[in-house]
Amino acid sequence: MNGPGIELTLAPELRLFAPPSRRAERVPTGIDGASSIGHVVESAGVPLTEVGRLLVDGEEVPVSYVPRAGQSVEVLAVSRPQPVTGAPLRFLLDVHLGTLARRLRLLGVDAAYENEDIGDPALATRSAAEHRVLLSRDRGPLRRRELFAGAYVYSDNPDEQLRDVLGRFAPVLAPWTRCTACNGPLRDADKDSVGDRLEHGTQRSYDVFAQCADCERVYWRGAHHARLERIVAEAVAEFGGVGSA
């Protein structure tokens, strides 16, 4: 480090964002005397969506605070559950999180999903326009200033991703109330009204159906229902909060 600097300590869960050489406690970090602590933290690789409290010499400061040479800065992770203010809790997931989107919808959580890579600016713009929390495994869109809110998804395993999001945001769960294909609301449907959409074997074997009010996709308790029941039961047992979507 050349010139004036601070000592920067990242919370253990945030150190994965920094280069390996900068993951220790109290890392000497250069400053220019004009940039905010938020800029310094982002320069260290950490998206501000993942930052909770910022402590300078033990005192909490805002992201706009400009650090001075010789100060000790501690960056804490967001608290859990993390409140989201300004709009009802709902999500937007990028192209890499299709399985997570379907599982959130299975639990009745409002989860919009982009099944094509529309680019970071478009994701951030949609997040802002619809007041949705953007979930991504890419730091790029989480740095966009126009973003309404965002969160980094830490795992590439769908089971762990779901636990991460439910534990972080504590959404109210309402299983079996959303279409896993389009996110629309489900409604009960009788066999006669959906019969033209069913294969003969399905018509003969099942009597209870639901249909999406938006895309009209039909659901029934078919061969994969036991697996879906497990996902729902485990989520409800661990995170509770069952209610109306």
Side-chain angles (χ1 to χ4, degrees), residues 101-211:
R102 289 188 292 273
R103 292 190 179 191
L104 288 170
R105 293 168 177 176
L106 177 67
L107 294 168
V109 177
D110 190 336
Y113 167 64
E114 292 290 350
N115 59 9
E116 296 181 358
D117 188 356
I118 63 174
D120 295 354
L123 280 170
T125 297
R126 183 174 179 186
S127 165
E130 300 180 11
H131 290 169
R132 292 181 178 273
V133 179
L134 176 63
L135 302 179
S136 179
R137 284 194 38 81
D138 181 358
R139 282 177 277 182
L142 300 179
R143 293 174 178 267
R144 304 289 303 189
R145 290 291 179 258
E146 65 270 34
L147 197 68
F148 168 68
Y152 184 79
V153 177
Y154 286 79
S155 175
D156 58 6
N157 178 280
D159 290 338
E160 294 175 1
Q161 289 175 348
L162 184 62
R163 293 186 71 256
D164 181 18
V165 173
L166 296 183
R168 178 165 175 171
F169 292 102
V172 174
L173 306 184
W176 318 109
T177 61
R178 285 190 180 273
C179 176
T180 57
C182 81
N183 198 42
L186 294 183
R187 60 192 178 194
D188 292 338
D190 60 72
K191 185 184 292 189
D192 291 340
S193 67
V194 298
D196 60 342
R197 294 175 174 269
L198 304 175
E199 295 182 359
H200 181 69
T202 301
Q203 287 183 324
R204 184 176 64 251
S205 303
Y206 300 96
D207 295 308
V208 179
F209 298 92
Q211 187 172 28

Side-chain angles (χ1 to χ4, degrees), residues 61-115:
V61 299
V63 294
S64 59
Y65 177 85
V66 178
R68 301 188 302 274
Q71 290 183 319
S72 177
V73 176
E74 185 176 2
V75 184
L76 304 181
V78 293
S79 59
R80 294 184 176 225
Q82 178 185 349
V84 176
T85 59
L89 179 61
R90 52 187 184 173
F91 299 99
L92 170 63
L93 289 78
D94 71 15
V95 66
H96 304 293
L97 296 174
T99 298
L100 176 60
R102 289 188 292 273
R103 292 190 179 191
L104 288 170
R105 293 168 177 176
L106 177 67
L107 294 168
V109 177
D110 190 336
Y113 167 64
E114 292 290 350
N115 59 9

Side-chain angles (χ1 to χ4, degrees), residues 1-47:
M1 180 184 71
N2 297 319
I6 60 174
E7 288 189 327
L8 184 68
T9 297
L10 301 178
E13 54 267 55
L14 299 181
R15 292 175 191 170
L16 66 92
F17 296 110
S21 62
R22 300 183 61 79
R23 292 178 183 174
E25 291 189 26
R26 304 177 73 85
V27 176
T29 301
I31 58 172
D32 60 14
S35 297
S36 69
I37 191 63
H39 177 79
V40 173
V41 170
E42 285 192 313
S43 296
V46 182

